[in-house]
Amino acid sequence: MTQATIRDVARRAAVSVASVSRALNGAANVHPDTRARVIAAADALGYVPHAGARSLSLARSHAIGVVLPDLHGEFFSEIIRGLDREASARGYHLLLSNIQDGRDHVIQALRAVRGRVDGLVVMAPHVDPAALAAMLPGSLPKVMINTPASKGGSTLRVDNRGGAEAITRHLLDIGRRHIVHIAGPANNSDARERYEGFKAALPQRADVHVLEGDFTEPSGAAAIAELLARKVPFDAVFAANDMMALGALQALREAGRRIPEDVALAGFDDVPLARYLSLTTIRVHMADIGTRAAARLIASVEAKDEEPTDELIVPALIVRGTTVREP
Amino acid sequence: MTQATIRDVARRAAVSVASVSRALNGAANVHPDTRARVIAAADALGYVPHAGARSLSLARSHAIGVVLPDLHGEFFSEIIRGLDREASARGYHLLLSNIQDGRDHVIQALRAVRGRVDGLVVMAPHVDPAALAAMLPGSLPKVMINTPASKGGSTLRVDNRGGAEAITRHLLDIGRRHIVHIAGPANNSDARERYEGFKAALPQRADVHVLEGDFTEPSGAAAIAELLARKVPFDAVFAANDMMALGALQALREAGRRIPEDVALAGFDDVPLARYLSLTTIRVHMADIGTRAAARLIASVEAKDEEPTDELIVPALIVRGTTVREP
DNA sequence: CTGTTAGCGCATTCAC
DNA sequence: GTGAATGCGCTAACAG
């Protein structure tokens, strides 16, 4: 048997579809008897309102579109978890639309959700912000995560620069002077900002090496291998994310370097593994970002007058055993 | 300016809405000139089709609903990642609908997605399978993950029982005879099945203790604390999941027990942490399950005649340093 | 090849 | 308090 529609319910209750709609949506002007009959009929038929039709009629979907890259590791999940938590608490659903690299996919993703969602949460670190702004549907409320510029939408950003500065200062504070930075991909804005923070914290005359990784564990190990091969002297490593730091950690240990005595090591993100391996890092609480993004978006969906805001989230320095010998 | 509709495009291109629809959807019967004019007009207006209206008309949403509990740890994310990967590869979106414990939420979640999705992936380990089957809309194709019974839907299950048996046999093989099981919550079917596998692998006369945890790390540590307090002798621990095993690992080390010499320890799931901490465990590749679930669901959405199938996924035993001293 | 018309399922005026 | 009609935006017959 096919799903019952509002018309089936109306027929069975011997009322009009209008009354069914009113009765089921809790409108005031419905006679108690009518409401009872309607509910009984709906019940008997196992009627469930067709959300698609409903949102077409109301011009409101109670869904928010989430456009994210296919992030590896915990990020993806943490953001989604945060988004979902807030969204479902406020009666919204999440429509996921993942993207690979490349503008075309972003456009596709954005187009695909039009008419299905009331707002958009977009995170596209590898896409040029201006291009992004241009292709975003102007009418839809949106929140951008970690997007430098913003036009007509709210923005939520992690203070990558500040975090990188803090961690670099920490390395200096514990007396390290030959600091190596394993950077992320050059086309990634998080990576760039962290690199900038790193440079900003260093004194002019500092002895510095920078290698580029790709945010993966092997690339962290590879960077260390290269340093060792080139016999570069160093007493500290700041990797642009935890996964690379973990790769570096492994490689350093295998090379017989003591951590933190010979080499102090720090990452960025504070993935769950970091705690277990006692990695000094910067805690970026992505779930929290998701929650805030959803909250902000829903606010601007429900009150059209909301001002776009830009929020900068300052992550915390977490000092652990890879930079300071633990008790 | 508000979003352009198909009618705006039709007006600007001086054709009917039908022609616009045909032109934009690549129908054969459209004069090249007409198509060109339509595309130009759509372009100029920044027209994006309204997916909601489209799916109402087509009775096809190209979206699949995902009903999952608010899983902690990697599970949640891995399943979603797998689902999303397959879904987006085949042109489908994911509509997330998380649930807490309790049937009411499940019902809510299920109702909320009706008319928005072409099929459902449901995972609700804490809900009685029969009750679940009863409340699921009969018409919608669905795939159930880790649900013992199945009625009118495909099923994808991890062989919890087999995995638990394998790991228990492994503990016996390495000579352990006093094996403790830290079980999961009694109302969780995964937990029950793992417990059953554990019992099945043991000889009749085995010396066995079973404690109940709640799948969290602290509960694993608490179980060990209790064992030690009660001075129960044991030389092996099989925890029903990795997180509890990790809690146990911590607690055992703090108590001065050597792993694996004094106590062999095994978990279940193979979360990323397990590899790092060299935990013997059972590998459950959740992303893979997600991928298969999506593939199966989409197949049955696109070909109504698909037979419901039940697939049992056999997880692999991964032996690591917590049961066998590594080279 | 193209335009007209009739729904998809629901909420909502506007009369009664 | 209730029903009949209109439209949300789009696609799919059905005629021309």
Side-chain angles (χ1 to χ4, degrees), chain B residues 279-303:
Chain B
L279 176 69
T280 289
T281 187
I282 295 285
R283 174 169 300 164
V284 179
H285 199 323
M286 292 313 272
D288 190 44
I289 292 184
T291 301
R292 296 204 208 185
R296 187 164 297 288
L297 184 62
I298 292 172
S300 74
V301 164
E302 299 189 339

Side-chain angles (χ1 to χ4, degrees), chain A residues 175-196:
Chain A
R176 309 302 164 127
R177 288 298 177 271
H178 305 279
I179 307 181
V180 172
H181 180 50
I182 307 178
N187 65 346
N188 180 292
S189 60
D190 289 331
R192 278 198 306 273
E193 291 170 12
R194 291 171 190 181
Y195 179 37
E196 281 166 19

